[in-house]
Amino acid sequence: MTTATVTPSKSGKPAKFRRDHKINWWLTAAVAVLSLTILIPLYFTIVTALKTPAEAGTFALPTSWQWGNFAEASNMVNYPRAALNSAIITVGAIVLTLLTNTFVAYAVARNMDKRFFRFLYYFFIAAMFVPFPVVMLPIAKQMGSLHLGGWNLDNKFGLIILYMIFGLGTNLFIAIGFIRSIPVSLEEAARIDGASTWRIFWTIIFPLMSPINATIAILTALWAWNDFLLPLILLSNSADQTIPLAQFVFSSQFTANYPVAFASYLMAMAPILIVYIFAQKWVVGGVMRG
């Protein structure tokens, strides 16, 4: 929100660059107004989670703070087991994504001059624009035929594989630009010393990709932790339910205890929100570099 000016030079020398630290109040006001679209619903969620059912639906602070809503919500959704299932799937999706998607991005980035790899790149990018409901039922049937999920067999590993596959387009999009900024001379020097492509990737390229890998990991974590549709079509056993799937109990037409439901939503949001608060600089920095 600062402006920069150039001071003319009287002696014919290059002009001096001077930065004026002036606040752009219009932009500041726009950011403040837009932030309300997040802060107001968040405030409403917090105060509702601490109210009685009779007080729910207003923006006023609760007359008495109902902290017991969180304990009741934890019992209704079996929060410890659901959180463990979500954590297993999220960590598994992150690990498998980093081990596979980055290697594919490296192969495509270093071979963009070849027709096959250009086609592969645009194919995965185009997949980003296919709505998931279009392929939802075929995916469920295919995973069931492969014994990796479905109504007859619950398999967390099948769900992790799908997160890895569906995230490939986005991850290629942000990783290829970063890889192409890494000098090829580093790889050529390693090849002269007898290093293979596999060793070059894991000892040189992969460590240099730490900023973009952090971005990919965080985006994958946000998606896998909050996702509802994929667990819905692949997991049917209540013991394997993730947090969003377990919270579906509050969607019944006979459920009217909104404070308990909102307390459950806050409990589900808290872990991943804390992770994002501490890691948001890597998300922004990695996307900009990519």
Side-chain angles (χ1 to χ4, degrees):
M1 300 180 184
T2 59
T3 59
T5 59
V6 178
T7 304
S9 176
K10 298 180 180 180
S11 60
K13 296 181 179 179
K16 183 179 180 182
F17 183 81
R18 182 170 59 88
R19 182 178 294 275
D20 296 330
H21 293 277
K22 297 180 180 179
I23 299 177
N24 189 330
W25 291 107
W26 289 105
L27 182 59
T28 304
V31 171
V33 172
L34 292 176
S35 66
L36 295 178
T37 60
I38 300 297
L39 296 178
I40 291 178
L42 183 60
Y43 165 80
F44 181 77
T45 303
I46 294 174
V47 297
T48 303
L50 296 171
K51 292 180 178 180
T52 61
E55 296 177 324
T58 63
F59 283 91
L61 292 174
T63 55
S64 61
W65 302 88
Q66 303 295 320
W67 297 102
N69 290 338
F70 291 91
E72 185 177 352
S74 178
N75 293 330
M76 290 185 66
V77 302
N78 196 356
Y79 183 81
R81 177 178 290 275
L84 179 62
N85 292 333
S86 292
I88 292 174
I89 293 173
T90 301
V91 173
I94 292 173
V95 172
L96 189 61
T97 296
L98 291 179
L99 293 178
T100 58
N101 291 13
T102 52
F103 194 77
V104 174
Y106 171 68
V108 174
R110 289 296 187 246
N111 295 278
M112 284 293 286
D113 56 326
K114 299 178 181 179
R115 183 177 301 178
F116 172 75
F117 287 94
R118 283 203 306 272
F119 168 77
L120 200 64
Y121 172 71
Y122 290 116
F123 175 79
F124 285 118
I125 294 299
M128 296 170 54
F129 300 96
V130 179
F132 178 74
V134 175
V135 298
M136 181 172 63
L137 293 181
I139 286 293
K141 185 173 180 62
Q142 181 181 9
M143 297 302 288
S145 63
L146 296 175
H147 301 287
L148 292 174
W151 294 106
N152 298 323
L153 181 65
D154 294 292
N155 195 322
K156 296 184 182 69
F157 185 66
L159 191 59
I160 293 172
I161 290 177
L162 286 182
Y163 285 130
M164 179 267 292
I165 294 174
F166 282 112
L168 189 56
T170 303
N171 297 336
L172 284 181
F173 182 73
I174 63 177
I176 286 179
F178 183 86
I179 294 174
R180 298 185 72 178
S181 67
I182 300 175
V184 183
S185 58
L186 296 176
E187 303 171 40
E188 294 175 345
R191 291 188 190 278
I192 293 176
D193 293 335
S196 62
T197 302
W198 186 261
R199 185 172 182 181
I200 288 173
F201 176 76
W202 291 114
T203 59
I204 299 177
I205 303 300
F206 192 79
L208 292 176
M209 291 180 63
S210 297
I212 208 71
N213 283 342
T215 302
I216 292 174
I218 295 166
L219 294 179
T220 303
L222 291 172
W223 176 32
W225 183 272
N226 296 317
D227 187 37
F228 174 76
L229 282 178
L230 275 177
L232 178 64
I233 65 175
L234 291 181
L235 303 176
S236 60
N237 190 350
S238 59
D240 295 325
Q241 288 182 340
T242 60
I243 289 181
L245 199 57
Q247 288 178 333
F248 196 58
V249 67
F250 297 111
S251 300
S252 172
Q253 60 179 331
F254 303 105
T255 300
N257 196 341
Y258 292 107
V260 175
F262 277 64
S264 175
Y265 302 151
L266 282 177
M267 293 169 62
M269 180 179 63
I272 204 67
L273 181 62
I274 294 173
V275 171
Y276 184 78
I277 289 175
F278 288 100
Q280 59 179 326
K281 62 179 181 180
W282 286 294
V283 175
V284 177
V287 171
M288 292 299 295
R289 293 184 183 186

